[in-house]
Amino acid sequence: MTTQPLGAQISQMLKERGVDTIFGIPGVHNVELYRGIEQAGITHVLARHEQGAGFMADGYARASGKPGVAYVITGPGLTNLLTPLGQAYSDSVPVLAISSCLDETSARRGQLHQMRDQRAAAETVCAWSEEARSAQAAYTLIDRAFDEFASTRARPVHLQVSIDTLGAQASAAPLPPERRPGRPAARHADVYALVDAVLKAQKPLFVFGGGAKGGAAAIPQLLQQTGAASIVTYAGRGVVPADTPLYFGSSLARPDSARIAAEADLVIAVGTTLSEVDLWRPTLGHTAPMIRVDIDPACFTDLGPADTAILADAAEVLHAMAIAISARTEDLPPKWQASEVAQHRALWHAEIEAERPGILPVCDALKVALPEDTMIYSDMTQFAYAAKEVWDMPKPGHWHHPFGFGTLGYALPAAIGGAVARPGQPTVALAGDYGLQYTIQELGTAVELGLPLPILVWDNGKLGEIEDSMVRSQIAPNAVVARNPDFLALAKAYGAGAVEPKSLDDLQTALRAALTADGPTVIRMTQHMAG
């Protein structure tokens, strides 16, 4: 078709740029966006709430490595989406949100879904939020989004198009460019200087974040070559093999890890912001020079006078380092004591077991039962807080959590998006009893799609983390106990499977069955399972 309504042309444009799935909810204001979805050959996943659609797009993006796309309506549709967009911003996830908007708001009042400034509201949680007032503007902004997804630190973006503009006839979008811009490349001089510094150091320490996952294949060789120790952020789990002798695990949040950092005479932080939710203290604790490798220059604002910044894709730098070192030297002997590393890990494991009794045996049982390529989506729950510190992932980028923004309700819809992105591969949702209720209605979507999705619910009947915080602050626990529904009966009402294991063996059996079921299964877990 030479011309058709812009809403249909947008879907066709997205298809030509590799989009195969859109998450959303149709409404009278954005109905024109739905005109071309089937024509373009795109699958639409119907969420039960726009928040669910946003988390699904987020989960899809994390699992597929492609941008997630969400369609929502004017006003409340977009405001419901803001929480997922804020989470995607915090966790560097590429999500393209496209909403309708009113044609005119300054001289008219009382319109359906009217907001004072919808575009500005979205801008608070996105890299940018713009309104396209013509077809050409819409096409330009969509390609701008895909260019930025490919070349910079991933962030969500929002595009709004007025109702009249969506329905107006428009020519087809231009064909996609043959190549998108790439991420910044490190200068050879920077790589050589980094290699020299690491080889000269007596106790180098690598800190790997989620941004290092693309270079995971080079990391074992790099650590062996340099004799360096390593520690990872929660998002960086899986980039270092669990059996690496000088690997401190994902224990940056342990207060004693500051002493480890202080022992190093060089710290190399790769693909991490070293944010509050990585450390839970003001600084890493190091006194030695630090070299930071990142694609986001904002990560360099707190560098000291002896520190160095390398603006580059972390994966490229890690691979270049491994090649450069191989060409210059044999593997160096370990510069840390493996026995001391093991002692620290054992101590931290015991601390976590004492802080959150009953959780670690359940973690161990789940790890045994899950295939190596399982992708896990967790919520803000005590179970996940403990697991993130002790559960060494066999692959990078396979455990996703709402870091930073820290929203409840993430796990279930994000896992749905992840399962859609990886058909035939195992995906698991892990939620607490309170957080699950934020988005439990998305069970309907999982049932409709027939996803073999285990939904593990850690049910302690209260906001356990908040209760513990109140006790530590000498506040009498208040408003931390809520009446829970019968989760198993609720799951069955949606058409999902439901089971409550009575032992760890039963849990493993239930989990394996859920991974091959013809729909989602809610599995209620309690501390009593561990005996």
Side-chain angles (χ1 to χ4, degrees), residues 298-487:
C299 294
F300 306 145
T301 57
D302 59 349
L303 291 180
D307 297 335
T308 303
I310 299 177
L311 182 66
D313 178 62
E316 180 200 10
V317 171
L318 291 170
H319 285 291
M321 286 185 69
I323 294 171
I325 293 175
S326 295
R328 295 174 54 181
T329 183
E330 296 181 357
D331 295 350
L332 296 178
K335 297 183 177 182
W336 298 70
Q337 293 296 318
S339 58
E340 293 183 9
V341 175
Q343 288 173 4
H344 277 289
R345 295 204 65 175
L347 173 63
W348 293 334
H349 191 282
E351 289 177 353
I352 298 163
E353 177 63 64
E355 293 166 1
R356 308 188 191 281
I359 292 180
L360 300 198
V362 181
C363 287
D364 293 337
L366 292 175
K367 281 191 288 186
V368 171
L370 288 174
E372 186 175 275
D373 60 343
T374 299
M375 189 163 284
I376 299 172
Y377 291 83
S378 59
D379 218 312
M380 300 293 286
T381 171
Q382 284 188 316
F383 192 96
Y385 303 154
K388 288 184 301 177
E389 295 198 62
V390 299
W391 194 316
D392 290 315
M393 297 298 293
K395 294 183 177 182
H398 275 59
W399 187 305
H400 305 291
H401 184 80
F403 303 107
F405 212 48
T407 178
L408 285 162
Y410 173 80
L412 173 55
I416 291 172
V420 169
R422 303 168 71 239
Q425 296 176 278
T427 304
V428 171
L430 175 61
D433 56 292
Y434 199 81
L436 178 64
Q437 295 180 71
Y438 273 54
T439 50
I440 198 168
Q441 67 275 5
E442 304 306 338
L443 265 175
T445 299
V447 170
E448 281 182 351
L449 297 174
L451 299 176
L453 177 65
I455 302 161
L456 300 165
V457 185
W458 182 252
D459 188 356
N460 59 7
K462 57 186 176 182
L463 291 163
E465 187 70 11
I466 309 306
E467 181 182 63
D468 291 349
S469 177
M470 288 180 170
V471 170
R472 287 194 298 270
S473 301
Q474 298 184 342
I475 298 171
N478 186 17
V480 294
V481 177
R483 179 184 175 88
N484 280 340
D486 183 333
F487 288 112

Side-chain angles (χ1 to χ4, degrees), residues 167-191:
Q169 292 293 310
S171 299
L175 293 174
E178 292 186 8
R179 293 184 63 185
R180 295 284 178 190
R183 291 183 171 179
R187 298 178 302 173
H188 292 298
D190 288 335
V191 174

Side-chain angles (χ1 to χ4, degrees), residues 87-99:
Q87 190 61 63
Y89 187 94
S90 178
D91 288 351
S92 305
V93 182
V95 173
L96 171 60
I98 301 181
S99 76

Side-chain angles (χ1 to χ4, degrees), residues 47-374:
R48 297 303 188 265
H49 189 284
E50 287 90 358
Q51 187 175 87
F55 286 142
M56 290 176 197
D58 174 298
Y60 174 93
R62 298 193 199 208
S64 67
K66 302 192 300 183
V69 180
Y71 280 178
V72 296
I73 62 164
T74 318
L78 181 64
T79 57
N80 286 339
L81 190 68
L82 295 187
T83 293
L85 292 177
Q87 190 61 63
Y89 187 94
S90 178
D91 288 351
S92 305
V93 182
V95 173
L96 171 60
I98 301 181
S99 76
S100 54
C101 67
L102 295 172
D103 300 292
E104 196 284 319
T105 58
S106 61
R108 297 181 63 187
R109 293 289 179 267
Q111 299 178 84
L112 178 65
H113 303 328
Q114 186 167 13
M115 291 178 63
R116 293 182 61 191
D117 195 337
Q118 175 179 294
R119 185 209 60 78
E123 191 172 42
T124 62
V125 289
C126 291
W128 51 262
S129 173
E130 300 290 354
E131 180 177 343
R133 298 189 176 97
S134 68
Q136 185 56 52
Y139 302 154
T140 298
L141 288 167
I142 289 172
D143 267 333
R144 172 186 168 187
F146 280 89
D147 281 345
E148 291 179 7
F149 293 155
S151 61
T152 64
R153 182 178 182 180
R155 300 287 203 189
V157 301
H158 167 245
L159 168 65
Q160 64 182 32
V161 188
S162 71
I163 299 165
D164 281 355
T165 305
L166 285 173
Q169 292 293 310
S171 299
L175 293 174
E178 292 186 8
R179 293 184 63 185
R180 295 284 178 190
R183 291 183 171 179
R187 298 178 302 173
H188 292 298
D190 288 335
V191 174
Y192 293 143
L194 175 55
V195 168
D196 285 339
V198 174
L199 294 179
K200 290 177 181 176
Q202 297 303 306
K203 297 190 79 173
L205 175 68
F206 281 91
V207 182
F208 296 113
K213 65 182 179 182
I219 288 174
Q221 178 186 350
L222 182 60
L223 294 175
Q224 183 176 346
Q225 290 170 327
T226 61
S230 63
I231 193 167
V232 300
T233 67
Y234 297 138
R237 284 178 300 152
V239 302
V240 180
D243 59 355
T244 302
L246 301 181
Y247 174 46
F248 283 100
S250 52
S251 301
L252 279 173
R254 291 284 111 191
D256 198 35
S257 73
R259 188 170 65 83
I260 302 300
E263 289 184 28
D265 63 344
L266 176 68
V267 175
I268 311 97
V270 184
T272 172
T273 61
L274 293 178
S275 65
E276 177 183 271
V277 295
D278 293 322
L279 305 175
W280 294 111
R281 58 180 181 269
T283 66
L284 179 64
H286 64 293
T287 56
M290 175 184 283
I291 300 174
R292 299 195 70 158
V293 180
D294 210 284
I295 61 170
D296 184 0
C299 294
F300 306 145
T301 57
D302 59 349
L303 291 180
D307 297 335
T308 303
I310 299 177
L311 182 66
D313 178 62
E316 180 200 10
V317 171
L318 291 170
H319 285 291
M321 286 185 69
I323 294 171
I325 293 175
S326 295
R328 295 174 54 181
T329 183
E330 296 181 357
D331 295 350
L332 296 178
K335 297 183 177 182
W336 298 70
Q337 293 296 318
S339 58
E340 293 183 9
V341 175
Q343 288 173 4
H344 277 289
R345 295 204 65 175
L347 173 63
W348 293 334
H349 191 282
E351 289 177 353
I352 298 163
E353 177 63 64
E355 293 166 1
R356 308 188 191 281
I359 292 180
L360 300 198
V362 181
C363 287
D364 293 337
L366 292 175
K367 281 191 288 186
V368 171
L370 288 174
E372 186 175 275
D373 60 343
T374 299

